[in-house]
Amino acid sequence: MARHEKALLRVSQWLDLSRTERQEFVDTAQRISSRQEAAFSQYDEEYLEHLKQDVFTHEEVLSYLEEAGIGEDVVQDFSSGEIPFDEVYQSWNKIRYSVNEILDLTMLLKLVHSCSETLSQGIDSRYKFQKLVYLVNQELADQNRMDRDTTPYDHGKLEKTGFRYTYRMRSSGPFAKTLEEDKRRLYASNLIDEEVMAKVETPEINEENCRYRITLGRSGEVVMDRFASQLESLETEVLSDWEDAIDHVVLQFGHMTVEELHEYIMDLDPVKEAEERDLLLRGRRVTYDSEPWITISAGGEIGHV
């Protein structure tokens, strides 16, 4: 993910757009920016000026903001190029999570942390990131389906443990759109980082032009410094099983190349038998909109909203 996209994500966060609206805003702004001839090698004042003068004043962006219900005063600020970037910057190092959601996202950080500890690196592609999370949930689902009193038998006990992501069959194998959305949020808040490894494609549908390495960001390192040891000594059986599954999957599959992992994934029976967009794995069904919110700062401080 380019640094430019991080900037747009943070502006959308400042606008307090919903998850779907945030992505629509980013897509619209990127589409407009890509039409410009100028190329920006890094996030800097020149790029900010480009956003203010060429992107945020564009009629497509202004129309989108009006349709999203953004206040007239804010739309006018965009139109006149007077966006309060200082205020936007102040909100960059905070992102809001619900109480249940923080557990999922902490476990994602645990996955990245385990890869860094075990393999001396992060996760070496978006492809592997998607598939490792799938394998963690699949392992938990297979364990829990041993209980005959669980109905229905479509991985129902993932209501109690495991990531909430639902996977469907895509050209690259199992893919969860909501996992990709959460990865973007973690990146926007500096909990994880992405860097281009090489101009080499992977089978993943969102990694077609180059391969990315996923590592902990500055805030993520602070969070893991505080919580990694506690995760390793969890006394709650459900969460302990989840943590153990992450470690087991990292040890078993983390060392594989993308090509080796792809061959393994595509040979799994549920994947071999699935057609495009078929349901492969249903995650926990959790709704977060009505829950209390937590903020995490770049320094790892946790507060309540």
Side-chain angles (χ1 to χ4, degrees):
M1 185 185 300
R3 290 183 180 274
H4 301 167
E5 186 170 347
K6 178 185 283 190
L8 294 172
L9 279 168
R10 286 170 166 172
V11 172
S12 69
Q13 178 187 329
W14 171 75
L15 287 169
D16 202 23
L17 297 172
S18 70
R19 177 179 297 182
T20 300
E21 290 171 338
R22 282 198 298 269
Q23 191 53 52
E24 291 174 349
F25 173 83
V26 170
D27 290 344
T28 299
Q30 281 191 317
R31 185 170 61 251
I32 296 167
S33 181
S34 67
R35 298 171 189 163
Q36 309 294 325
E37 294 182 0
F40 302 92
S41 60
Q42 61 182 359
Y43 179 80
D44 52 19
E45 292 296 327
E46 185 180 359
Y47 180 67
L48 278 182
E49 192 65 24
H50 164 65
L51 290 180
K52 290 171 62 175
Q53 300 300 326
D54 304 323
V55 178
F56 294 151
T57 58
H58 197 281
E59 60 181 11
E60 287 185 45
V61 170
L62 299 178
S63 295
Y64 180 78
L65 294 177
E66 291 175 354
E67 293 174 1
I70 300 301
E72 293 183 7
D73 55 337
V74 175
V75 175
Q76 180 58 41
D77 287 342
F78 272 71
S79 178
S80 61
E82 297 178 355
I83 300 170
F85 275 109
D86 286 345
E87 181 180 341
V88 175
Y89 295 157
Q90 290 171 8
S91 70
W92 275 19
N93 289 330
K94 290 187 178 181
I95 194 164
R96 299 192 306 173
Y97 300 110
S98 65
V99 173
N100 273 336
E101 195 172 13
I102 197 69
L103 178 60
D104 276 318
L105 300 180
T106 300
M107 286 301 199
L108 284 180
L109 296 182
K110 157 66 181 177
L111 176 64
V112 178
H113 175 75
S114 291
C115 284
S116 297
E117 292 286 301
T118 303
L119 309 172
S120 300
Q121 63 179 13
I123 299 175
D124 60 10
S125 65
R126 291 175 175 175
Y127 177 87
K128 186 174 288 187
F129 181 72
Q130 279 274 345
K131 275 48 181 180
L132 291 180
V133 173
Y134 172 76
L135 290 170
V136 169
N137 266 14
Q138 187 63 63
E139 179 169 317
L140 291 165
D142 289 343
Q143 293 173 359
N144 289 324
R145 291 184 74 184
M146 297 294 290
D147 298 336
R148 294 298 181 183
D149 60 344
T150 300
T151 57
Y153 294 111
D154 61 346
H155 310 312
K157 283 212 169 181
L158 284 180
E159 294 289 335
K160 295 184 178 180
T161 188
F163 298 104
R164 71 186 186 283
Y165 307 112
T166 292
Y167 276 85
R168 293 187 177 276
M169 183 64 182
R170 301 297 298 272
S171 59
S172 63
F175 184 82
K177 181 180 178 181
T178 50
L179 173 57
E180 172 61 19
E181 292 170 351
D182 277 354
K183 180 180 65 65
R184 291 171 181 265
R185 297 175 67 203
L186 291 170
Y187 180 82
S189 56
N190 289 323
L191 287 166
I192 66 169
D193 199 7
E194 283 192 321
E195 61 175 326
V196 176
M197 288 184 63
K199 299 293 184 179
V200 179
E201 295 185 353
T202 75
E204 197 57 85
I205 58 178
N206 62 346
E207 200 171 30
E208 297 175 344
N209 298 317
C210 53
R211 187 175 301 186
Y212 294 81
R213 175 183 284 119
I214 299 170
T215 57
L216 290 178
R218 183 178 63 178
S219 298
E221 290 174 351
V222 172
V223 171
M224 282 294 98
D225 283 344
R226 299 175 101 189
F227 298 126
S229 61
Q230 297 178 39
L231 290 173
E232 293 172 359
S233 58
L234 289 170
E235 296 181 0
T236 303
E237 182 177 353
V238 168
L239 297 183
S240 180
D241 289 346
W242 189 357
E243 198 268 345
D244 288 345
I246 290 174
D247 286 340
H248 180 257
V249 165
V250 169
L251 285 171
Q252 186 172 0
F253 303 103
H255 67 281
M256 286 186 176
T257 65
V258 168
E259 293 73 23
E260 290 169 338
L261 184 59
H262 183 61
E263 182 178 357
Y264 175 84
I265 289 287
M266 299 304 285
D267 197 46
L268 294 173
D269 286 340
V271 177
K272 285 194 299 185
E273 298 167 3
E275 298 182 358
E276 180 74 8
R277 297 191 182 276
D278 278 357
L279 177 67
L280 291 172
L281 187 89
R282 188 184 301 281
R284 290 183 293 114
R285 299 168 187 174
V286 181
T287 301
Y288 298 120
D289 292 346
S290 63
E291 298 189 13
W293 290 93
I294 287 176
T295 62
I296 300 179
S297 73
E301 296 180 355
I302 298 176
H304 297 272
V305 177

